[in-house]
Amino acid sequence: MPPLDDQHPTSHPFPDLHGHGLWLRPWDPDSDADAESWLRGVTDPDFALWNTPLTLIDDLAGAREALRRKGGMAADGTSASYRIDDESSGTTLGHVGVDGINHVFSTARVGYWVLPEARGRGVATRALRLASHWAHTELALHRLELGHGVGHEASCRVAERCGFRYEGTLRGSMFEAGRHDAFRDAHLHARLASDPERG
């Protein structure tokens, strides 16, 4: 692991997080490796099946711009976007974010994706546990919400393993795959700071 002073070149309002064999650190838009990993993640067919970003990304320039936007939201304290690395090897595994941070209502939304070669190893579960524990304790947020398209069973299992209780179905609350003019239903899960820790 790089020395603490060299982990990322720009100042960031949120700390790196370590635990469960993972190292969560801010994405760096000036890093070729980070931009390439982000591009691979958001253009992966499995990601595209369940997620439709507001701005579609299909090249490295778009990936860098997306990471710059993430950095801007981190700077104003509304979103913490983390690259998931294997703590021992430093290999990039995916992304986890605590987004829409609202300190007035003490809420945020969480999301995650894992690169194809890292799936099946509990990466999303471990990263979500680490990020949500930090959000409940260090950020002192009361409620974290997690949404996923109906039928996305893998994401549903991750949510449940991390103590995010299923609260219902939100009708027409997500874009259909690859479209901004059609909608699908989503499951809503949530976890309160007072809920018992899992695993």
Side-chain angles (χ1 to χ4, degrees), residues 97-109:
V98 180
D99 304 312
I101 298 169
N102 185 321
H103 288 288
V104 174
F105 292 101
S106 195
T107 61
R109 291 186 66 86

Side-chain angles (χ1 to χ4, degrees), residues 30-45:
D30 296 321
S31 162
D32 290 342
D34 278 23
E36 289 165 5
S37 294
W38 187 268
L39 180 61
R40 283 204 306 124
V42 300
T43 56
D44 175 70

Side-chain angles (χ1 to χ4, degrees), residues 41-173:
V42 300
T43 56
D44 175 70
D46 282 346
F47 174 89
L49 180 63
W50 298 109
N51 302 275
T52 304
L54 286 173
T55 302
L56 299 178
I57 297 168
D58 57 12
D59 58 22
L60 283 173
R64 290 186 192 282
E65 182 55 33
L67 294 182
R68 288 191 183 95
R69 287 195 299 271
K70 295 285 186 185
M73 289 186 287
D76 67 21
T78 60
S79 177
S81 294
Y82 283 111
R83 171 175 154 169
I84 306 169
D85 285 352
D86 181 274
E87 189 159 33
S88 58
S89 69
T91 302
T92 303
L93 306 175
H95 163 80
V96 64
V98 180
D99 304 312
I101 298 169
N102 185 321
H103 288 288
V104 174
F105 292 101
S106 195
T107 61
R109 291 186 66 86
V110 295
Y112 42 80
W113 50 258
V114 176
L115 291 169
E117 66 272 18
R119 292 174 188 153
R121 294 159 45 189
V123 171
T125 298
R126 290 182 283 144
L128 180 59
R129 282 178 176 156
L130 185 57
S132 55
H133 176 77
W134 168 74
H136 279 314
T137 56
E138 299 301 315
L139 292 184
L141 296 178
H142 171 64
R143 177 180 168 89
L144 299 177
E145 296 184 351
L146 185 162
H148 63 79
V150 171
H152 194 348
E153 299 303 327
S155 193
C156 201
R157 288 192 296 271
V158 169
E160 291 173 350
R161 282 195 293 264
C162 293
F164 282 76
R165 299 181 188 177
Y166 171 68
E167 294 189 341
T169 299
L170 304 177
R171 296 177 302 142
S173 63

